[in-house]
Amino acid sequence: MMLIRYLSQVGKYFLMLKEIFNKQTKWSVMRNLIFKEIDDLIIDSLGIVAFISFFVGGVVAIQTALNLTNPLIPKYLIGFATRQSVILEFAPTFISVIMAGKMGSFITSSIGTMRVTEQIDALEVMGVNSLNYLVFPKIIALLFYPFVIGISMFLGVLGGWMAGVYGGFTSSAEFINGAQMQFIPFHIVYAFIKTIIFAMLLATIPSFHGYYMKGGALEVGKASTVSFVWTSVSIILFNYILTQLLLGS
């Protein structure tokens, strides 16, 4: 019975995706909605992303340095490990899970509140495709999400460099040498492919839970929690699949 319920929810989700792109809202209205979503979802997230990235990059560098107890192991491995950790996993995946909490809860609660206060019903009565009006601007805004992850990568490596050098674990030249060593450009492509997929999940799964919720104000909070859980699970699952597809061969 539970399996059937989950399958029906998945089917409903894909039907929602189809409906988003039907009956477009006119551009003059949509443009303002897109700029508002960019401000709410992208610009407002830069502060927390910058703070977390910088300090986690520093922690990765310190942890790596503390585990290199053998004097024969070169210090440039601190820079190498920091770069690999930040670019491959931390920036695209860890930040996306955090954004599932920040962006996802915001999206679910804002759309859920509109559902509770019957604003979505009012849009439908006026002949507006409410899914296109509410969700499409979020999808377009989150096309800028790789820009946020790019900043996260840079600040993560910078934080690792500052922690390694000013913590006395390695020299600047050794860290930079390690960060440049055996660099594979496809790793950046891989990270941004993941980021674009995660951006779609961040825009659509919380919107789905907000749009189709039932009940009152209490249920808005519950829907936000459920959307965070499912968005995080989806991100981690897709992370595994994409890593296997893109790096496993």
Side-chain angles (χ1 to χ4, degrees), residues 87-90 92-93 186-187 190-191 193-195 197-198 235-249:
I87 288 176
L88 289 175
E89 278 309 308
F90 166 70
T93 309
F186 181 71
H187 284 173
Y190 155 79
I193 289 171
K194 286 206 302 186
T195 301
I197 302 293
F198 296 163
I235 286 169
I236 290 164
L237 184 63
F238 272 88
N239 182 45
Y240 175 80
I241 293 167
L242 291 167
T243 303
Q244 188 68 39
L245 289 173
L246 298 172
L247 298 183
S249 55

Side-chain angles (χ1 to χ4, degrees), residues 31-68:
R31 185 181 59 221
N32 293 331
L33 292 172
I34 289 169
F35 283 128
K36 183 181 181 301
E37 296 297 350
I38 289 170
D39 187 47
D40 287 342
L41 301 178
I42 302 297
I43 306 298
D44 284 359
S45 300
L46 289 175
I48 186 72
V49 168
F51 179 81
I52 292 171
S53 301
F54 184 82
F55 285 101
V56 170
V59 169
V60 169
I62 293 167
Q63 291 279 17
T64 306
L66 293 175
N67 283 288
L68 296 178

Side-chain angles (χ1 to χ4, degrees), residues 113-149:
T113 302
M114 288 183 74
R115 172 62 76 190
V116 168
T117 54
E118 299 180 352
Q119 292 177 56
I120 293 175
D121 298 327
L123 286 172
E124 295 285 351
V125 167
M126 289 190 291
V128 175
N129 179 355
S130 57
L131 277 170
N132 178 260
Y133 184 88
L134 295 170
V135 184
F136 185 74
K138 293 172 174 56
I139 292 172
I140 299 301
L142 279 163
L143 291 177
F144 292 92
Y145 186 58
F147 168 71
V148 175
I149 298 303

Side-chain angles (χ1 to χ4, degrees), residues 47-108:
I48 186 72
V49 168
F51 179 81
I52 292 171
S53 301
F54 184 82
F55 285 101
V56 170
V59 169
V60 169
I62 293 167
Q63 291 279 17
T64 306
L66 293 175
N67 283 288
L68 296 178
T69 51
N70 191 325
L72 298 175
I73 298 173
K75 294 290 185 185
Y76 63 70
L77 285 177
I78 297 169
F80 178 77
T82 303
R83 184 201 75 204
Q84 291 295 89
S85 302
V86 168
I87 288 176
L88 289 175
E89 278 309 308
F90 166 70
T93 309
F94 186 60
I95 290 293
S96 294
V97 171
I98 292 168
M99 288 299 106
K102 186 195 177 296
M103 284 184 195
S105 297
F106 172 77
I107 291 169
T108 305

